[in-house]
């Protein structure tokens, strides 16, 4: 039996609340100084302050001066896509709005073209590079979507790439089908036909077990709340669970639909209406906030304070994608959650661990450091949790344990004679 002892942890921080963790409970975090974690196989066996068991055949990791939190869970990304979009950057800098670039055939449409043109191997290699980067930032579980095909064959190519990435890499990936990410130009005057096609494609996706969740980009000029509802109802009939891009730029009713249909998450919410905040607080749907997108689009930030103070359950995700958030740095997302969403570090920890685990239906296995849970553990070179959030822009990771295995250890500079 393989055993690992992580000893001398300066401070261990974890939520111990039952998710979804709402409102004031989000800042209730358990702390233990001078801690150890004993791992047996892939699970946490003991957590305490003075290990007295035997050390025979035990791998020892000395976490002197490091703090410890659960592996981070980034529950909204667009990991797999072809190419990049820096050619649109000067337009963006000049102030052309995101939706205008999309309307002119750029944005998502540009990535769709590049994704169609890419082979599966190229898509895999490009996404693998990003995935490795995410792991270095301490992400141990990830949600990732298709949505840059908009035709079944390319969507399948993306979904199968995600499946392979999940199988061959330490990070666990939960997969979402986002067939309704944009209306392809050739369907310009045939919206109903496209919606029907997406609903039909859902059957193939389900039969071949290519995705667990269905998402829609519900936004002005993209898909309406009614179209979203139609797709979502078919998805539910087929046994999918739901997540929704909603209220990113304008509020057009998607959030209400998602809450009514018991979606796992509503994501973005920069433009959420007050009445939707009230119903969200009464539901078990997670408000999944993406502050790095507001940062990169120079947009409003989601009203996180209002959401939490009114009793919603909040998670925070990167939204990694080539257009609105071209960065794998999830720690930067968390630092923005502090500075821009005005969430306190304890709330941010909850929003990056147990709440996204709940939003991905895996909170019984991951999202907190508790005996019996999967040993997904992050060791950070930070004085305390506040310091981790406040000292921004860098990577604080020292070590990552995934399923009990050390998969990231130290960032080292090779010294050369000069
Ligand atoms: O979440 N808003 C829709 N989808 C992504 C952006 C995708 C893209 O621009 O390529 C988002 O921001
Ligand atoms: Fe997104």
């Amino acid at each position: 039996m393989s055993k690992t002892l992580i000893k001398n942890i300066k401070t261990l921080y974890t939520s111990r609340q039952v998710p979804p963790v709402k409102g004031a409970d989000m800042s209730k975090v358990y702390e233990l100084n001078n801690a150890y974690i004993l791992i047996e196989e892939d699970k946490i066996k003991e957590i305490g302050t003075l290990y007295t068991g035997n050390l025979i055949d035990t791998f020892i990791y000395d976490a002197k001066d490091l703090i410890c939190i659960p592996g981070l869970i980034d529950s909204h990304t667009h990991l797999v896509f072809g190419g990049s979009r820096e050619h649109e950057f000067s337009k963006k800098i000049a102030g052309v709005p995101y939706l205008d670039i999309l309307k002119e055939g750029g944005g998502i449409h540009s990535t769709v073209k590049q994704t169609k043109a890419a082979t599966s191997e190229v898509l895999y290699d490009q996404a693998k590079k990003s995935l490795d980067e995410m792991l270095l930032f301490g992400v141990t579980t990830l949600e990732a979507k298709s949505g840059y095909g908009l035709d079944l064959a390319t969507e399948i190519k993306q979904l199968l790439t995600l499946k392979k990435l999940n199988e061959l890499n330490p990070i666990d990936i939960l997969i979402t089908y986002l067939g309704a990410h944009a209306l392809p130009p050739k369907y310009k005057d045939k919206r109903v036909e496209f919606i029907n096609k997406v609903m039909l494609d859902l059957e193939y996706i389900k039969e071949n077990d290519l995705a667990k969740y269905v998402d829609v980009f519900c936004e002005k000029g993209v898909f309406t709340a009614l179209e979203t509802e139609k797709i979502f109802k078919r998805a539910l009939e087929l046994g999918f669970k739901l997540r929704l891009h909603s209220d990113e730029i304008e509020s057009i009713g998607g959030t209400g639909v998602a809450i009514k249909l018991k979606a796992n998450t509503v994501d973005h919410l920069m433009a959420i209406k007050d009445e939707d905040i009230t119903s969200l607080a009464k539901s078990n749907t997670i408000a999944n906030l993406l502050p790095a997108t507001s940062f990169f689009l120079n947009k409003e930030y989601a009203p996180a304070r209002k959401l939490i103070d009114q009793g919603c359950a909040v998670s925070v995700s990167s939204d990694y994608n080539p257009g609105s958030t071209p960065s794998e740095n999830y720690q930067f997302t968390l630092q923005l959650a502090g500075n821009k969403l005005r969430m306190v570090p304890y709330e941010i920890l909850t929003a990056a661990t147990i709440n996204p685990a709940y939003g991905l239906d895996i909170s019984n296995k991951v999202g907190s450091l508790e005996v019996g849970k999967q040993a997904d553990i992050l060791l950070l070179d930070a004085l305390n949790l506040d310091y981790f959030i406040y000292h921004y822009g860098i990577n604080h990771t020292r070590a990552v344990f995934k399923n009990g295995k050390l998969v990231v250890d130290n960032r080292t500079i090779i010294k050369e004679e000069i």
Side-chain angles (χ1 to χ4, degrees), residues 45-56:
K45 173 90 171 144
E46 277 179 38
I47 295 176
T49 48
L50 194 65
Y51 182 66
T52 50
N54 74 57
L55 291 171
I56 304 162

Side-chain angles (χ1 to χ4, degrees), residues 198-418:
V198 168
M199 293 201 298
L200 199 65
D201 291 352
L202 285 177
E203 294 174 21
Y204 183 92
I205 310 282
K206 189 69 201 178
E207 276 159 25
N208 293 280
D209 196 21
L210 294 175
K212 184 170 179 195
Y213 301 96
V214 168
D215 193 343
V216 171
F217 186 13
C218 182
E219 184 61 58
K220 190 167 171 227
V222 192
F223 294 106
T224 66
L226 268 177
E227 289 165 340
T228 302
E229 184 160 4
K230 236 176 128 183
I231 295 171
F232 271 9
K233 283 191 166 156
R234 183 66 189 131
L236 285 176
E237 279 168 11
L238 290 167
F240 289 101
K241 296 198 149 207
L242 311 173
R243 331 178 66 79
L244 185 66
H245 281 74
S246 191
D247 300 339
E248 177 174 354
I249 294 155
E250 291 201 24
S251 183
I252 59 161
T255 301
V257 169
I259 297 168
K260 184 174 82 183
L261 298 180
K262 298 193 164 45
N264 281 47
T265 63
V266 274
D267 303 44
H268 282 299
L269 306 184
M270 287 112 101
I272 189 171
K273 291 197 174 113
D274 283 349
E275 63 258 35
D276 285 333
I277 297 184
T278 310
S279 29
L280 199 50
K282 290 187 196 132
S283 77
N284 281 347
T285 297
I286 301 270
N288 196 11
L289 309 184
L290 316 170
T293 310
S294 303
F295 171 80
F296 197 72
L297 294 182
N298 291 315
K299 286 276 174 196
E300 286 300 307
Y301 286 82
R305 265 301 18 115
K306 220 173 182 179
L307 286 157
I308 295 174
D309 295 344
Q310 294 197 21
C312 295
V314 168
S315 62
V316 174
S317 298
S318 71
D319 196 20
Y320 172 67
N321 74 73
S324 67
T325 323
S327 169
E328 293 88 345
N329 186 344
Y330 184 56
Q331 292 185 19
F332 180 56
T333 297
L334 301 186
Q335 286 136 15
L336 287 173
N339 225 32
K340 299 294 186 184
L341 298 182
R342 297 193 295 118
M343 291 168 65
V344 298
Y346 286 163
E347 291 169 337
I348 297 169
L349 183 73
T350 302
T353 55
I354 195 69
N355 272 356
Y358 181 84
L360 290 168
D361 307 294
I362 48 173
S363 56
N364 57 336
K365 284 196 304 193
V366 293
S368 62
L369 300 173
E370 289 176 278
V371 171
K373 278 204 163 178
Q374 204 167 289
D376 290 5
I377 297 165
L378 186 52
L379 292 159
L380 301 166
D381 184 6
L383 300 170
N384 47 50
L385 192 69
D386 287 358
Y387 185 94
F388 169 55
I389 300 300
Y390 130 101
H391 189 127
Y392 81 97
I394 67 151
N395 188 351
H396 295 268
T397 309
R398 260 305 135 87
V400 181
F401 285 83
K402 176 68 192 174
N403 283 326
K405 300 257 157 357
L406 183 62
V407 290
V408 173
D409 195 14
N410 266 332
R411 300 150 285 137
T412 38
I413 293 174
I414 311 293
K415 285 196 203 110
E416 285 180 31
E417 294 302 319
I418 41 171

